[in-house]
Amino acid sequence: MKIKHIDHIGIAVKSIEQAGKFYTEILGLKIQDIENVADQKVNVAFLPITDSELELLESTEADGPVSKYIAARGQGVQHIAFRVENIGEALEELKSKGVRLIDQTPRNGAGGARIAFIHPKETNGVLVEICER
Ligand code: ZN
């Protein structure tokens, strides 16, 4: 598959408003938009940096995946996303190589992306997302 660049780094936070201050007031980044992704029970704040962005992920419900992540591991980097040219082809290639996937087919992610996650057991503990925009 052709990986174009790091699309974004997903950071689990308890509060976008609170955690966002470091990135905006200290680092000088801008929150371009905040989107609710209902099926993931998160609000996502986008902070672009050239071709990549940080995504601050704030759970909207106690049983959401980001809430569970913070309960188990604390706040911090939750996943890294690589942008690919063709996510369907990338998933077929991963399957052909026997890579365990969380998502067998692409689903809709924040910012209009098509996304899929690779199982962290395949990546030495890093939750890897591939995405196409
Ligand atoms: Zn992501």
Side-chain angles (χ1 to χ4, degrees):
M1 82 190 70
K2 173 105 166 58
I3 290 181
K4 297 166 84 174
H5 56 259
I6 292 174
D7 187 85
H8 63 271
I9 295 170
I11 300 172
V13 301
K14 289 179 180 167
S15 157
I16 286 172
E17 186 183 356
Q18 187 276 325
K21 286 183 178 156
F22 170 75
Y23 300 99
T24 57
E25 293 175 12
I26 307 296
L27 297 188
L29 299 173
K30 298 243 181 322
I31 293 178
Q32 186 179 60
D33 195 16
I34 297 178
E35 177 183 332
N36 178 261
V37 182
D39 73 337
Q40 287 297 300
K41 301 176 181 174
V42 285
N43 292 322
V44 184
F46 303 97
L47 295 89
I49 306 171
T50 61
D51 286 342
S52 301
E53 62 190 12
L54 301 180
E55 290 187 0
L56 303 183
L57 311 166
E58 167 195 82
S59 193
T60 55
E61 299 187 37
D63 67 342
V66 168
S67 196
K68 288 179 185 166
Y69 180 91
I70 290 173
R73 303 173 76 169
Q75 298 185 94
V77 173
Q78 197 244 0
H79 68 273
I80 181 165
F82 298 110
R83 189 181 302 193
V84 296
E85 276 184 351
N86 184 318
I87 193 168
E89 284 179 14
L91 285 174
E92 289 312 310
E93 182 180 334
L94 290 165
K95 286 179 203 172
S96 76
K97 290 176 175 172
V99 174
R100 211 168 358 153
L101 302 171
I102 293 175
D103 299 300
Q104 303 302 315
T105 55
R107 57 187 162 99
N108 295 322
R114 303 282 291 153
I115 69 167
F117 285 98
I118 298 171
H119 199 287
K121 288 240 161 76
E122 296 283 359
T123 59
N124 303 289
V126 178
L127 182 58
V128 171
E129 172 187 329
I130 55 174
C131 77
E132 177 186 338
R133 293 180 197 267

